[in-house]
Amino acid sequence: MRVEPKMQDPEIRINNFEEVNLGYTEEEAIAEAQRCRLCGACVKGCPVGIDIPAFVNSIAKGKFRQAIDIIRQFSVLPAVCGRVCPQENQCEKECILSRKGEPINIGALERFVADRFNEKEKFDIPKIGKSAGIIGSGPAGLTAAYELRKAGFDVTIYESLHAAGGVLRYGIPNFRLPDKIIDREIDYLLSLGVKIQLNFLVGKTVYINELLEIHNGLLITTGAGLPSRLNVPGENGVGVFLANEFLTRINLMHAYDFPLYHTPIKKFTRVIVVGGGNVAMDSARVARRLGADVTIVYRREEEDMPARKEERLHAKEEGIKFMTLANPVEILLDEYKNVKGIKLEKMKVAGKGLDGRNKIEGTLEYFTLDADAVITAIGQTPNRIIQENVKGLNFDSHGRVIVDENLRTSLNRVWAAGDIVTGAATVILAMGEAKRAAADMIKTL
Amino acid sequence: MERNEIRIKEKIAENTYSFWFYHPEIAKHFSAGQFLILRVVKEGERIPLTIADVDIEKKLVRIIFQVVGETTYLLSKLNVNDIILDVLGPLGHGFEIPDGTKSVLLVGGGLGIAPLFPKIKEISINHKLKADVILGARSKDLFILVDEISKIASNVYLFTDDGSSGHKGLVTDGINFAISNNNKYDFCIAIGPILMMKAVTELTKKLNIPTYVSLNPIMIDGTGMCGGCRFLYGNEVKFACVDGPVFNAFKVNFDDLIQRNRQYREQECQLFKGDK
Ligand SMILES: Cc1cc2nc3c(=O)[nH]c(=O)nc-3n(C[C@H](O)[C@H](O)[C@H](O)COP(=O)(O)OP(=O)(O)OC[C@H]3O[C@@H](n4cnc5c(N)ncnc54)[C@H](O)[C@@H]3O)c2cc1C
Ligand SMILES: Cc1cc2nc3c(=O)[nH]c(=O)nc-3n(C[C@H](O)[C@H](O)[C@H](O)COP(=O)(O)OP(=O)(O)OC[C@H]3O[C@@H](n4cnc5c(N)ncnc54)[C@H](O)[C@@H]3O)c2cc1C
Ligand code: SF4
Ligand code: SF4
Ligand code: FES
């Protein structure tokens, strides 16, 4: 039987921001690894092609060091991916045991060995006298920095916020991905000699053409940080948040620890979260931890939600209600412009779309829910600062930077990777692309 | 010298300070109207401040701020040679007076005089426009930068609520006064508390003088990522940090902005209980 790692009890965890998933013990990891058939069917589900049977087999034999060494040949952030990859749509989906509903818990195994080995490989870095600039310190930027540094480049990452990590830092909450895990990865890069220049907004603090004068090549990994809006009446009311603001206050600024930390967040009693992705789950679970009664409203069916299965499950265990087939048409405000509720249209399923998800249509039937806060988490599009401030950089109508098959942009010596190219996607996809971009930079520069 | 190192610190009025600190990139890329975001301690909040001036040769950047809460209090305690923990800028867009403008009215209220200052300087020195300045404050000891402004601007009218300096009255009285003195203006820039900007806008709309204001919503990142600074502009939602902070006043929905800015009043008071 599939071995599940222990979790913090829901009753307790809704009062703290500590990690929910407690990870495997040695015995649990070995027991889970021993179930593996070593067939390799899962590998094609992993965007960076980790040799899963090899590392799982090492764990089965108790050779943990060997396991992590194998993983590190493919991924630089295994402690992160083991925690946040949507495994059920990737490696675990392809696992032959998933037909019986019990795929190997690949993510948990990956995390187990990654957490065990704090000290990391030291290696000789060749001196090649070339330099690369990376714009943005999310998973894509960090991955590329590692690859380029290993190949001997002088690497500087420019990051606009006061802390590195991108969405890992300001978006994903500590109860899923603790700060110390990100810190560890970043410290490792620093120990290899990667420089991180915080508080540098490229396009404002410094321009791309200036960076091209001091670096042989540049990689843009600025992510998809611009939140989409509902565009319904009332969305500017007091108590209406775009998820990014809510999560940034909590994760980057530690508002849950106010007044020890100085950034405030209000305590709400009834919170409605609009959306069905990871961002919606994270917002809902944060609001729950701040003491609110929380309902997630989603316009399709639950099976269509893009959020990871584990997050949905955890949200429900924490007492968060799910209301599906409901689409917001107005946020209701009182005379002081404070949120007092939300008006929703009942939706109904109207067949399947090409993507396999349910198609929906309105019923013209409406109802309202009381709330004192509404958090909208309905998608993000690429950050615009770069596009608006760089001449000659081509991007599409969604603001995504256009690249060729080698991730080269329309500007000479400038590459791009991650969410800025694909639109909001996943950590591991961003990393996979960054690796390809770095490989092409190493080859051509 | 290190980035963010404070080179000059002056107390220029009650609770009001002027700092010059070292930051080559901001000094180099600044244009009037832009702002920065800073943090003083690692538990601290990120707060926006207008860039009041730069010294390109010395690579220095000037901020002028009033102590109103925790962050500005902590900032005021820093001294020469101290380093401001984090500074991000220059943010937002600079703002250009439209071509063909002949005569400008510059209205600054309270602390809004600080963000107005670079504009006054630029217009008076570079454009050689006729630029009249109306400055307002609650009382004499709250006025900032009056001497510096008087040195560069042609006409400066002072107004205080209590009459302790200049004329007694509000800046809107000042606008009426300036106009009754046979002055004509084809452009107005007003910066100050939101209520003041709203009142000025109502007046200049009547007088048919195109008016621009610099908005000060609550901000976090200042890079267009969180949406906390959004407000209604005509029928559109704008993010003040990346779309502004300077906007056509006739399209700004001031009431929307006022509501959004009072969101954290309670917590702000809890955190900061005055000079400790
Ligand atoms: C709340 C939330 C939860 C998520 N949960 C998951 C999950 O469970 N699993 C998963 O796989 N994915 C998840 N994702 C998606 C995933 O985090 C992203 O796909 C991934 O982080 C993209 O990486 P990136 O490096 O391209 O960009 P980002 O992580 O967005 O990093 C971009 C960085 O660039 C900086 N930047 C932007 N513009 C500039 C500039 N002009 N100059 C300098 N710096 C700049 C930004 O500040 C940021 O730090 C989640 C996303 C969110 C928002
Ligand atoms: C683009 C921009 C430019 C600004 N330029 C300057 C400047 O040049 N000099 C200066 O002194 N201030 C300026 N401000 C206002 C400044 O950001 C606030 O005074 C500061 O955030 C207060 O922080 P605090 O922690 O000290 O006080 P808080 O405890 O956060 O607030 C204390 C009091 O200040 C009010 N307040 C909080 N945030 C703001 C805000 N964004 N705008 C107005 N009032 C606020 C609160 O309602 C409260 O009454 C600017 C604001 C913006 C958005
Ligand atoms: S990186 Fe993600 S997809 Fe690849 S094996 Fe690990 S958990 Fe699975
Ligand atoms: S598909 Fe499943 S059983 Fe086969 S190697 Fe991968 S994890 Fe093991
Ligand atoms: S301050 Fe976050 S978007 Fe403007």
Side-chain angles (χ1 to χ4, degrees):
Chain A
M1 238 189 38
R2 180 168 150 118
V3 183
E4 297 294 347
K6 304 254 175 335
M7 304 288 158
Q8 242 202 98
D9 187 71
E11 293 297 317
I12 295 170
R13 70 183 191 233
I14 55 169
N15 298 306
N16 66 48
F17 280 79
E18 306 294 315
E19 194 165 16
V20 168
N21 185 327
L22 302 173
Y24 280 144
T25 60
E26 228 169 78
E27 296 73 39
E28 288 169 336
I30 291 172
E32 177 65 0
Q34 283 175 344
R35 292 202 304 125
C36 176
R37 305 277 173 83
L38 307 179
C39 63
C42 49
V43 177
K44 66 172 178 293
C46 173
V48 294
I50 294 182
D51 188 346
I52 298 168
F55 97 76
V56 173
N57 192 28
S58 301
I59 296 178
K61 292 185 182 142
K63 295 184 183 163
F64 303 137
R65 174 87 240 181
Q66 195 179 41
I68 190 66
D69 288 344
I70 294 168
I71 296 173
R72 284 200 190 285
Q73 292 166 20
F74 303 89
S75 166
V76 263
L77 302 170
V80 173
C81 295
R83 285 174 166 83
V84 305
C85 261
Q87 289 98 0
E88 74 266 21
N89 296 325
Q90 297 179 345
C91 51
E92 294 183 18
K93 183 178 175 189
E94 303 294 335
C95 174
I96 47 158
L97 300 177
S98 76
R99 271 178 258 147
K100 294 200 192 116
E102 296 198 327
I104 298 292
N105 202 330
I106 300 168
L109 289 171
E110 191 174 327
R111 169 187 160 172
F112 168 73
V113 280
D115 283 1
R116 247 183 118 77
F117 293 97
N118 254 330
E119 90 291 1
K120 291 193 189 144
E121 187 189 2
K122 294 264 182 277
F123 43 77
D124 292 331
I125 290 165
K127 282 208 166 34
I128 60 167
K130 285 178 191 160
S131 128
I134 296 174
I135 307 166
S137 67
L142 297 177
T143 303
Y146 174 78
E147 298 295 337
L148 289 162
R149 184 68 192 136
K150 221 169 44 171
F153 280 80
D154 239 352
V155 178
T156 306
I157 301 179
Y158 300 90
E159 166 58 50
S160 69
L161 293 172
H162 62 256
V167 169
L168 308 180
R169 179 75 66 182
Y170 76 75
I172 303 179
N174 271 345
F175 54 79
R176 280 216 287 141
L177 179 62
D179 273 346
K180 64 171 193 290
I181 301 292
I182 314 165
D183 291 341
R184 215 171 76 189
E185 304 301 340
I186 288 165
D187 288 345
Y188 177 54
L189 287 179
L190 293 173
S191 78
L192 296 179
V194 170
K195 292 180 253 340
I196 303 185
Q197 184 64 65
L198 299 172
N199 299 309
F200 257 60
L201 181 62
V202 176
K204 293 284 180 187
T205 312
V206 67
Y207 301 146
I208 285 229
N209 55 344
E210 293 172 304
L211 291 180
L212 279 171
E213 283 168 21
I214 54 174
H215 297 296
N216 298 78
L218 293 177
L219 175 63
I220 303 176
T221 55
T222 48
L226 179 68
S228 306
R229 290 185 295 103
L230 276 177
N231 267 320
V232 300
E235 69 173 326
N236 266 12
V238 178
V240 186
F241 294 88
L242 302 175
N244 267 4
E245 180 190 349
F246 191 70
L247 292 173
T248 301
R249 282 182 181 272
I250 295 294
N251 299 324
L252 181 69
M253 307 308 296
H254 295 256
Y256 60 88
D257 225 350
F258 182 89
L260 184 63
Y261 285 78
H262 303 164
T263 303
I265 189 82
K266 273 222 182 91
K267 301 259 193 273
F268 297 101
T269 46
R270 290 180 58 86
V271 175
I272 303 288
V273 176
V274 181
N278 289 318
V279 187
M281 297 304 138
D282 285 342
S283 304
R285 297 175 69 199
V286 166
R288 183 79 186 108
R289 280 161 175 73
L290 296 174
D293 173 88
V294 183
T295 305
I296 293 176
V297 301
Y298 183 56
R299 60 195 172 123
R300 303 185 206 229
E301 292 271 38
E302 189 181 327
E303 67 202 51
D304 304 315
M305 286 187 167
R308 295 178 68 217
K309 199 166 83 194
E310 183 172 81
E311 303 331 317
R312 299 202 313 257
L313 186 73
H314 285 175
K316 285 186 184 161
E317 287 171 2
E318 290 163 10
I320 292 162
K321 284 161 266 182
F322 282 51
M323 175 170 290
T324 52
L325 294 173
N327 196 28
V329 291
E330 183 179 353
I331 294 168
L332 307 168
L333 308 178
D334 69 13
E335 60 195 304
Y336 304 108
K337 294 271 170 67
N338 293 319
V339 172
K340 64 173 185 187
I342 186 166
K343 182 175 172 190
L344 299 147
E345 182 180 9
K346 272 192 196 159
M347 308 301 282
K348 65 173 189 223
V349 174
K352 287 264 184 230
L354 287 176
D355 56 358
R357 302 208 297 175
N358 289 306
K359 275 204 289 200
I360 47 161
E361 58 187 38
T363 61
L364 295 175
E365 264 180 72
Y366 300 92
F367 65 105
T368 62
L369 294 176
D370 289 342
D372 55 357
V374 172
I375 303 170
T376 64
I378 55 163
Q380 332 223 94
T381 56
N383 288 2
R384 300 269 169 166
I385 299 271
I386 290 272
Q387 291 90 320
E388 283 168 11
N389 293 286
V390 184
K391 282 199 198 76
L393 184 68
N394 291 343
F395 47 93
D396 68 14
S397 59
H398 300 286
R400 294 177 296 209
V401 173
I402 297 172
V403 292
D404 68 10
E405 68 281 4
N406 292 313
L407 297 149
R408 296 177 193 173
T409 70
S410 50
L411 285 176
N412 199 15
R413 294 194 285 132
V414 181
W415 284 253
D419 279 5
I420 188 72
V421 169
T422 54
T426 62
V427 171
I428 190 71
L429 281 173
M431 289 174 59
E433 274 202 341
K435 218 173 142 177
R436 281 208 293 131
D440 194 54
M441 291 172 81
I442 294 164
K443 203 171 76 195
T444 39
L445 288 174
Chain B
M1 206 181 307
E2 252 191 84
R3 235 182 243 115
N4 305 351
E5 185 175 320
I6 297 169
R7 300 312 310 148
I8 305 170
K9 171 181 180 176
E10 279 173 288
K11 185 169 179 178
I12 56 169
E14 189 56 32
N15 276 329
T16 309
Y17 296 83
S18 157
F19 284 7
W20 287 90
F21 64 90
Y22 181 75
H23 200 304
E25 291 81 11
I26 296 181
K28 180 174 175 195
H29 295 122
F30 164 77
S31 61
Q34 287 186 298
F35 65 101
L36 51 80
I37 284 201
L38 61 77
R39 222 163 63 106
V40 185
V41 291
K42 75 177 196 327
E43 301 82 17
E45 203 172 354
R46 295 167 65 98
I47 65 157
L49 294 174
T50 306
I51 301 168
D53 207 348
V54 296
D55 182 330
I56 296 177
E57 254 160 56
K58 298 202 179 101
K59 305 182 168 54
L60 299 181
V61 175
R62 187 183 193 188
I63 49 174
I64 296 170
F65 63 95
Q66 189 168 41
V67 176
V68 294
E70 184 72 14
T71 312
T72 43
Y73 171 78
L74 293 169
L75 186 62
S76 75
K77 294 294 161 197
L78 297 183
N79 290 309
V80 171
N81 296 334
D82 286 345
I83 304 223
I84 306 170
L85 181 64
D86 297 297
V87 181
L88 173 70
L91 300 173
H93 295 288
F95 172 72
E96 289 300 321
I97 306 270
D99 287 343
T101 305
K102 293 193 188 69
S103 159
V104 197
L105 183 61
L106 299 159
V107 185
L111 206 70
I113 298 172
L116 190 66
F117 179 65
K119 225 52 235 185
I120 299 174
K121 195 172 151 187
E122 185 196 85
I123 291 168
S124 312
I125 294 171
N126 307 341
H127 287 267
K128 311 258 181 287
L129 287 173
K130 176 175 155 51
D132 291 354
V133 180
I134 296 171
L135 303 179
R138 260 181 291 136
S139 71
K140 183 179 178 197
D141 43 328
L142 293 173
F143 259 132
I144 55 170
L145 295 165
V146 170
D147 294 343
E148 279 185 70
I149 291 171
S150 302
K151 269 184 226 147
I152 50 175
S154 39
N155 282 324
V156 180
Y157 303 97
L158 302 184
F159 280 77
T160 47
D161 294 10
D162 60 4
S164 54
S165 175
H167 306 262
K168 183 170 159 62
L170 306 173
V171 289
T172 39
D173 299 318
I175 297 174
N176 284 322
F177 177 81
I179 286 174
S180 68
N181 278 0
N182 270 332
N183 288 309
K184 277 209 169 14
Y185 303 102
D186 44 18
F187 202 80
C188 171
I189 301 176
I191 310 181
I194 304 180
L195 281 174
M196 179 212 99
M197 292 192 282
K198 185 183 173 191
V200 168
T201 303
E202 277 161 10
L203 178 63
T204 54
K205 218 181 226 169
K206 266 188 235 140
L207 299 168
N208 224 347
I209 307 171
T211 301
Y212 275 69
V213 288
S214 183
L215 300 182
N216 53 1
I218 296 170
M219 294 184 178
I220 307 179
D221 59 307
T223 68
M225 180 269 278
C226 76
C229 64
R230 69 192 191 278
F231 72 101
L232 266 178
Y233 185 68
N235 295 323
E236 290 169 275
V237 173
K238 292 275 185 197
F239 287 10
C241 70
V242 283
D243 298 324
V246 181
F247 290 94
N248 178 351
F250 295 171
K251 290 174 79 177
V252 173
N253 185 324
F254 287 100
D255 294 332
D256 185 63
L257 196 60
I258 291 168
Q259 299 294 351
R260 292 192 55 76
N261 257 23
R262 65 171 168 75
Q263 289 184 79
Y264 295 100
R265 190 63 50 81
E266 203 183 303
Q267 286 91 338
E268 284 153 354
C269 295
Q270 182 191 341
L271 190 63
F272 181 68
K273 302 189 177 71
D275 211 331
K276 289 164 258 195

